[in-house]
Amino acid sequence: MDWHTLKAQAREKFRGACRVCPICNGVACAGEVPGMGGLGSGAAFRNNVEALAGFRLNLRTIHNVHTPKLSCRILGLDLSLPVIAAAIGGIAMNMNGAMTEEEYAAAIVAGCRQAGTIGMTGDGPKPEVFEAGLKAMAAGLGPAIPIIKPRDVDKIVELAQRAAAAGAPAFGIDIDAAALINMTNAGQKVGPKTKDELAYIKQHTSIPFIVKGIMTPDEAEACCAAGVDAIVVSNHGGRALDHTPGTAQVLPYIAETVKGRITILVDGGIRSGADILKMLALGADAVLIGRPLAIGAVGGGADGVATVLNKFAGELRAAMVLTGTADVAAVKEDILW
Ligand SMILES: Cc1cc2nc3c(=O)[nH]c(=O)nc-3n(C[C@H](O)[C@H](O)[C@H](O)COP(=O)(O)O)c2cc1C
């Protein structure tokens, strides 16, 4: 399946929930939450895309990098490229019923496995959101990394243990959902966590623990102190707090503080292989991609997800050759102009 057919099919199925724009930058869908947009003015979503666009790559072709290495090892997992599918939940509500929660999780989990990588699955006020990820694993479609809402710590521990029993190689919490309105409206308590609470979750679970939604060096440092295995530098695709900076802007400061002591993942506005390479140069070990893979899932199910991932892999390979980058695990800062 080609990218253009995939986009046309997705546009039809979304029925306006996502316009599948030529550039997915949060302009057309500003304020559309529920929906696929960014919260409020949509600035945080736009800032992600603009921040990445603000970095330029140095073109270098006098070298011997012909076949760059895209594969990498992240949290003990061998991945064919440094890309993980971001958790996306609330499919019926956000995507105009284009898919069910279960169909979406199945497409992400199977499509990621097809492309040699792994996907995260979501959580939400309805139990079916979290269950969809576990069901995809139980159906043998592949492993998944469930991302649990920042519920009470004992509930997080309970869900993380269920995830581990279902075969998840890691789990996380999207700590930036601490004030998520659809959780509180449904009477489900979410909230910020202290460093001690993060340490408690780590101590009472058995698989690697990811904290998603870190935007400042001090909070990255707190995750290190709590024994967290990985952070995701993320503003939830601009859906948590309006007017946050782009993740590419804050990533270098976070990497300067904690690089080498904790796995650094990042998401927000990554739309091409060149964007992936920029994030690696800014200090990430790997990236998460959200909306483009949602377009893949809605447009073509598991095959659609794999098509988008393979497109990113091809673009990343070309960008590595054209910047003289041999290995995704050793991307030099001087590829940035
Ligand atoms: C419709 C929608 C639903 C989302 N649901 C979740 C979720 O359940 N859990 C979570 O951790 N993040 C969720 N996110 C945020 C993504 O995991 C990710 O951080 C974001 O989409 C990355 O930005 P990008 O879409 O520009 O790549 C959601 C994002 C969207 C667009």
Side-chain angles (χ1 to χ4, degrees):
M1 191 177 306
D2 72 281
W3 176 228
H4 293 289
T5 312
L6 199 58
K7 288 211 302 187
Q9 285 178 191
R11 195 175 291 114
E12 203 174 304
K13 288 197 190 154
F14 272 121
R15 290 180 295 131
C18 170
R19 281 83 163 172
V20 192
C21 300
I23 302 170
C24 172
N25 58 7
V27 172
C29 55
E32 295 184 3
V33 181
M36 295 294 287
L39 192 80
S41 72
F45 179 176
R46 290 196 300 278
N47 289 347
N48 284 340
V49 177
E50 282 166 18
L52 265 167
F55 290 100
R56 312 282 151 93
L57 291 165
N58 285 320
L59 173 67
R60 284 195 178 101
T61 44
I62 304 182
H63 55 72
N64 64 357
V65 179
H66 294 270
T67 48
K69 182 171 178 278
L70 271 67
S71 60
C72 57
R73 199 168 166 79
I74 300 290
L75 294 171
L77 299 168
D78 289 316
L79 307 180
S80 62
L81 76 167
V83 176
I84 294 171
I88 289 197
I91 307 305
M93 178 181 72
N94 290 312
M95 301 189 194
N96 222 349
M99 293 177 101
T100 66
E101 210 68 51
E102 270 184 44
E103 286 167 345
Y104 188 81
I108 289 290
V109 171
C112 286
R113 183 160 77 170
Q114 211 174 304
T117 185
I118 190 165
M120 293 178 169
T121 53
D123 182 21
K126 290 189 185 153
E128 69 202 46
V129 183
F130 180 74
E131 298 300 333
L134 302 198
K135 278 188 186 164
M137 285 191 276
L141 300 179
I145 301 177
I147 302 295
I148 301 163
K149 289 282 169 255
R151 302 167 179 275
D152 287 339
V153 283
D154 286 319
K155 185 69 185 171
I156 293 172
V157 168
E158 179 200 317
L159 294 178
Q161 283 168 344
R162 285 193 55 213
F171 79 101
I173 61 169
D174 50 337
I175 198 164
D176 55 2
L180 198 69
I181 196 82
N182 67 344
M183 290 295 284
T184 42
N185 280 352
Q188 299 204 27
K189 197 175 148 227
V190 286
K193 300 284 166 273
T194 64
K195 188 165 65 179
D196 287 348
E197 285 174 314
L198 295 180
Y200 178 93
I201 295 167
K202 174 64 192 166
Q203 283 153 19
H204 290 81
T205 49
S206 55
I207 48 176
F209 175 32
I210 302 165
V211 175
K212 177 172 180 284
I214 295 300
M215 288 292 284
T216 60
D218 58 308
E219 295 224 320
E221 190 63 69
C223 287
C224 285
V228 168
D229 299 280
I231 54 168
V232 186
V233 176
S234 173
N235 60 12
H236 215 102
R239 295 166 69 87
L241 175 66
D242 205 354
H243 301 296
T244 52
T247 53
Q249 286 175 293
V250 300
L251 174 60
Y253 300 97
I254 292 174
E256 192 180 285
T257 313
V258 298
K259 182 87 178 174
R261 290 192 287 137
I262 194 166
T263 299
I264 305 176
L265 307 173
V266 65
D267 72 16
I270 297 165
R271 301 291 179 257
S272 67
D275 285 346
I276 298 169
L277 190 59
K278 288 178 187 178
M279 288 298 203
L280 300 182
L282 292 169
D285 295 305
V287 309
L288 269 49
I289 291 178
R291 294 174 180 91
L293 291 174
I295 292 169
V298 170
D303 286 346
V305 171
T307 298
V308 178
L309 286 166
N310 291 334
K311 173 180 167 292
F312 280 127
E315 292 168 354
L316 175 59
R317 193 171 294 113
M320 289 175 73
V321 169
L322 295 173
T323 54
T325 304
D327 187 342
V328 290
V331 179
K332 294 196 197 113
E333 216 180 311
D334 76 356
I335 65 163
L336 295 174
W337 181 74

